[in-house]
Amino acid sequence: MTNVKSRFAPSPTGRLHIGNIRTAIITWLFVKSQGGEYMLRIDDTDRERSKDEYTQAIKEDLTWLGLTWDDKAHQRDREDRYAECIEQLKKDGRLYACYETEEELALKRKSLLGRGLPPIYDRAGLELSDAQKDKFEAEGRTPHWRFKLNHEPIIWNDLVRGEVAFHGKDMSDPVLIRNDGTPLYHICSVIDDIDFGITHVVRGEDHVSNTAAHIQMTEALGGNVPNFAHLSLITDAEGGKLSKRLGSLSIQELRENEGLEPMSIISLLSRLGTSAPVEAMMSLEEAAKDFDFSKFSRGAPKFDPQDLYRLNAKILHTLSYADVKDRLPEGIDENFWNAVKPNLEKLSDIDSLAQIVNGPVEPVIDDQDYIQEAAELLPSDPWTKETWSAWVSSIKDKTGRKGKDLFMPLRLALTGQQHGPELADMLPLIGRERALNRLKKSA
Ligand code: GLU
């Protein structure tokens, strides 16, 4: 293994979905392309919103996608370590106590904005005397703590965005400790990244300004500043923010309700927003090959669920019976699989095909005489792929019907539906006995 190490750091406050699984996938592919280590870090410091069932679900989703991890940590287990670092920052004068309420802060922001100024915190907390602090405490206020940024340029070479520049004086000192004493994500994340030897932080571009502060926090704690890659956020097909419906398409739904193949998700999300073509890939190794952050565009990639289904169909059509056997409904054998797989977009489509074959089917018969005649012409066993055309041509000879008039009544009688897979494929699966019974419903 190289010393490259990166992490995926979800908060267990909900299920993984299309929006946030992309980071997990891209981070994994990057790490593997470098022969490095992948860490799963559960950001569960928000005790109220974090749930064990979500942590469990995140692990299930990652496992299903094949995104194995080499190291893992729960922030909840590391509170002592955070307290130690926080003490150090206080001693070094990099954390200072502030006593403003939410309302007071909102007023300050409003007044600055009203004067056309950026709403940067005025550092009033830094000016407080001990007597003033005692007074606040006597009123029952407890402090929140801010990190004192150095007023100097903060510049990094982002692996996706190129050079990114901030200046400490243009930023508010970030709050790192809430007034109930609990540390915020920022400080926990920075301490973890230092302690676990994270060399590359890959995350969404909504974290870019956080990164500027994290760099100074890392330096204040004596850590090595990692490399950063900020991925642009996915939008919907029209370029708008990923709607709740699309953005919240959970991996669990895609797996359990839609029956999608994990590689369809990997194929799409690993290439979306890059200069490489989106194509069906069969393995994570294939997807990790030639991984390069320079292929990622800064523009917002558009997510269209149709692409997912298109890729899924392609992947499905390459799978053998042995690949899918365990996931098929009862009564589907190898013949069945091979006959119907070219018609499938997703594995769950097979349920309706199985129903057409195995029944129960409610035959729809309008012209009883015609169906009766067709039943009498049913070829004898054994039935093969050619049975359909043999049957159809004898019906044609006998009745003079052709085209839709000829086959639609047969389809409706045999399947109960106007649309469906090729009858040439289905007929041998339905078999003579069942076919005859359905046709005889007219009798
Ligand atoms: N828990 C944070 C999030 O989900 C992690 C961000 C990061 O990668 O540092 O946004």
Side-chain angles (χ1 to χ4, degrees), residues 143-418:
H144 55 274
W145 295 74
R146 289 187 187 255
F147 178 72
K148 187 172 168 240
L149 289 166
N150 290 331
H151 284 180
E152 60 190 29
I154 308 166
I155 298 172
W156 75 93
N157 196 5
D158 197 277
L159 293 167
V160 173
R161 302 168 69 84
E163 186 178 285
V164 181
F166 280 82
H167 198 291
K169 73 173 164 36
D170 301 328
M171 299 162 59
S172 287
D173 289 338
V175 176
L176 298 194
I177 300 164
R178 299 181 187 90
N179 64 3
D180 65 1
T182 56
L184 274 129
Y185 146 77
H186 303 282
I187 186 66
C188 304
S189 179
V190 165
I191 296 169
D192 289 342
D193 287 341
I194 297 172
D195 286 357
F196 293 112
I198 298 302
T199 60
H200 292 75
V201 170
V202 182
R203 56 189 174 197
E205 68 181 358
D206 48 334
H207 282 286
V208 168
S209 57
N210 289 338
T211 293
H214 291 188
I215 288 176
Q216 283 206 6
M217 286 153 59
T218 307
E219 286 165 346
L221 286 165
N224 290 327
V225 176
N227 297 288
F228 292 95
H230 289 93
L231 304 169
S232 44
L233 303 180
I234 304 182
T235 62
D236 65 17
E238 278 79 49
K241 200 168 174 266
L242 210 57
S243 67
K244 205 145 179 17
R245 191 180 59 78
L246 286 182
S248 61
L249 258 187
S250 76
I251 304 307
Q252 179 198 32
E253 274 170 88
L254 294 174
R255 173 177 72 234
E256 291 173 9
N257 305 352
E258 303 287 312
L260 286 194
E261 304 307 301
M263 278 312 297
S264 65
I265 298 174
I266 304 272
S267 297
L268 182 61
L269 295 184
S270 63
R271 293 288 180 82
L272 198 65
T274 75
S275 54
V278 173
E279 56 199 8
M281 290 184 279
M282 296 303 147
S283 69
L284 281 158
E285 289 65 37
E286 188 184 345
K289 214 171 139 259
D290 303 327
F291 182 96
D292 193 339
F293 275 119
S294 68
K295 291 183 187 161
F296 283 78
S297 123
R298 290 187 51 177
K302 294 190 169 89
F303 170 72
D304 181 349
Q306 290 317 318
D307 292 337
L308 206 52
Y309 294 119
R310 188 175 50 78
L311 289 166
N312 198 69
K314 279 200 179 159
I315 291 166
L316 212 50
H317 300 168
T318 67
L319 299 182
S320 70
Y321 179 64
D323 292 332
V324 291
K325 200 162 117 231
D326 298 342
R327 296 162 56 207
L328 293 176
E330 242 41 28
I332 293 186
D333 60 13
E334 189 159 4
N335 266 344
F336 190 126
W337 172 249
N338 289 330
V340 303
K341 79 176 173 186
N343 298 304
L344 303 177
E345 192 175 54
K346 46 195 201 287
L347 198 63
S348 55
D349 294 344
I350 207 160
D351 297 345
S352 59
L353 299 183
Q355 212 230 319
I356 290 175
V357 172
N358 299 327
V361 160
E362 209 42 67
V364 176
I365 296 170
D366 292 332
D367 184 341
Q368 301 226 352
D369 294 344
Y370 173 57
I371 294 299
Q372 183 84 37
E373 269 186 302
E376 276 156 24
L377 291 168
L378 260 191
S380 47
D381 275 328
W383 278 13
T384 66
K385 256 186 158 277
E386 279 68 49
T387 302
W388 168 250
S389 58
W391 185 35
V392 162
S393 70
S394 62
I395 298 174
K396 191 173 168 188
D397 291 348
K398 177 92 190 287
T399 66
R401 290 195 187 215
K402 50 184 197 260
K404 208 172 163 185
D405 281 348
L406 185 157
F407 71 77
M408 187 52 88
L410 301 177
R411 177 179 284 283
L412 283 168
L414 288 170
T415 71
Q417 292 168 25
Q418 283 194 357

Side-chain angles (χ1 to χ4, degrees), residues 1-5 28-38 70:
M1 272 196 189
T2 56
N3 70 347
V4 166
K5 184 168 178 182
W28 195 94
L29 296 175
F30 161 68
V31 161
K32 295 301 154 178
S33 75
Q34 301 294 308
E37 223 179 309
Y38 188 69
D70 310 296

Side-chain angles (χ1 to χ4, degrees), residues 9-26:
S11 307
T13 53
R15 309 270 336 192
L16 292 178
H17 48 72
I18 285 291
N20 55 18
I21 199 69
R22 179 165 174 256
T23 309
I25 294 171
I26 291 169

